[in-house]
Amino acid sequence: MKNIVVLVSGGGTNLQALIDAEKRGELGNGKITCVIASKADAYALERAKNNGIKTVTLVRKDYPDVTAYSKAMTEVLKAENADLVVYAGFMTILDEQVCSAFPYKMMNVHPALIPSFCGKGFYGLHVHEAALEKGVKLSGATVHFVTEECDGGPIILQKAVEVKNGDTPETLQKRIMEEAEWKILPKAVQLFCDDKITVKDGKAVINE
Ligand code: GAR
């Protein structure tokens, strides 16, 4: 079995989608063994506890800088024997020491079709504000491997979602979560845990 460690900062609906998928037997050879939160009041922690999953809280402001925080995170991930690290609404920046300790073993769900509306400053509702400001007719979600480049790692799965007249950042966020994120994140985790993803020439290839 592969140990899946999930990193969270907020409500944790993507964590819930992973927990539900595991209960349905849809995470393949993977098991969620630990949830790490960057905020002590993240509701995602309650979701983990309600499902008997170990929790760790690593608060960013308890560390002087990103280097010290990343070192602490790397140590916890190693101690947890993480085979896969999933950023599920994890809003705190980690440096390259974490990526190099877990090469192509960390994935992130981003609420847009990368390379649109991604990179520094594009997180949470800001992503949907930018999509509505531009007037795109399709947005969606992307699951990608985490590398040193923010939102720049190999793309694993994407799903497009329609933008509708009158959408607000909140309504668009909700539709993208329901129609895309909560589906493609568990699927990408399952593919990884069943050894069906390889990275070739910087691109992820799915071998189903
Ligand atoms: C999700 O929409 C996720 O894609 C996004 O934050 C939300 C977290 O919701 N992540 C990012 O913007 C990362 N760049 P959740 O806590 O309910 O899963």
Side-chain angles (χ1 to χ4, degrees):
M1 269 315 230
K2 286 188 166 64
N3 294 332
I4 303 165
V5 176
V6 185
L7 308 189
V8 296
S9 299
T13 63
N14 278 288
L15 168 66
Q16 190 67 54
L18 290 170
I19 292 170
D20 295 345
E22 184 181 330
K23 284 188 184 153
R24 292 193 302 267
E26 292 173 5
L27 288 190
N29 195 34
K31 181 176 170 48
I32 304 167
T33 51
C34 183
V35 169
I36 305 177
S38 64
K39 288 189 184 149
D41 62 353
Y43 184 68
L45 286 168
E46 298 306 314
R47 297 181 191 270
K49 286 174 191 155
N50 290 342
N51 287 278
I53 301 168
K54 177 178 179 181
T55 62
V56 174
T57 305
L58 274 187
V59 178
R60 173 64 182 84
K61 28 181 215 310
D62 291 347
Y63 296 83
D65 52 31
V66 68
T67 308
Y69 186 73
S70 300
K71 185 168 184 285
M73 180 63 80
T74 306
E75 281 165 6
V76 175
L77 292 173
K78 285 184 175 166
E80 292 299 326
N81 293 312
D83 297 305
L84 172 65
V85 180
V86 180
Y87 288 40
F90 184 67
M91 304 300 190
T92 307
I93 289 180
L94 298 171
D95 72 9
E96 68 286 347
Q97 61 181 308
V98 191
C99 302
S100 53
F102 295 90
Y104 298 137
K105 289 180 177 174
M106 301 203 290
M107 57 176 69
N108 174 48
V109 60
H110 182 76
L113 294 173
I114 289 175
S116 290
F117 312 116
C118 66
K120 209 164 183 293
F122 287 97
Y123 60 90
L125 277 177
H126 299 304
V127 177
H128 307 296
E129 283 161 9
L132 292 174
E133 179 63 31
K134 183 65 191 174
V136 292
K137 304 301 179 230
L138 284 175
S139 190
T142 303
V143 179
H144 64 91
F145 281 119
V146 176
T147 60
E148 287 167 43
E149 188 190 343
C150 181
D151 295 332
I155 291 169
I156 302 167
L157 292 176
Q158 293 187 297
K159 191 165 191 293
V161 173
E162 207 183 329
V163 179
K164 296 191 176 169
N165 285 342
D167 259 339
T168 63
E170 289 80 7
T171 60
L172 182 57
Q173 179 184 55
K174 182 167 181 281
R175 190 177 316 112
I176 288 175
M177 283 177 156
E178 289 172 353
E179 293 183 12
E181 296 185 48
W182 299 344
K183 294 185 174 153
I184 64 172
L185 183 60
K187 180 69 186 167
V189 168
Q190 180 191 52
L191 290 168
F192 180 93
C193 291
D194 287 345
D195 295 316
K196 292 197 170 144
I197 311 175
T198 46
V199 178
K200 193 164 181 278
D201 302 328
K203 298 182 193 68
V205 181
I206 313 290
N207 315 291
E208 279 212 88

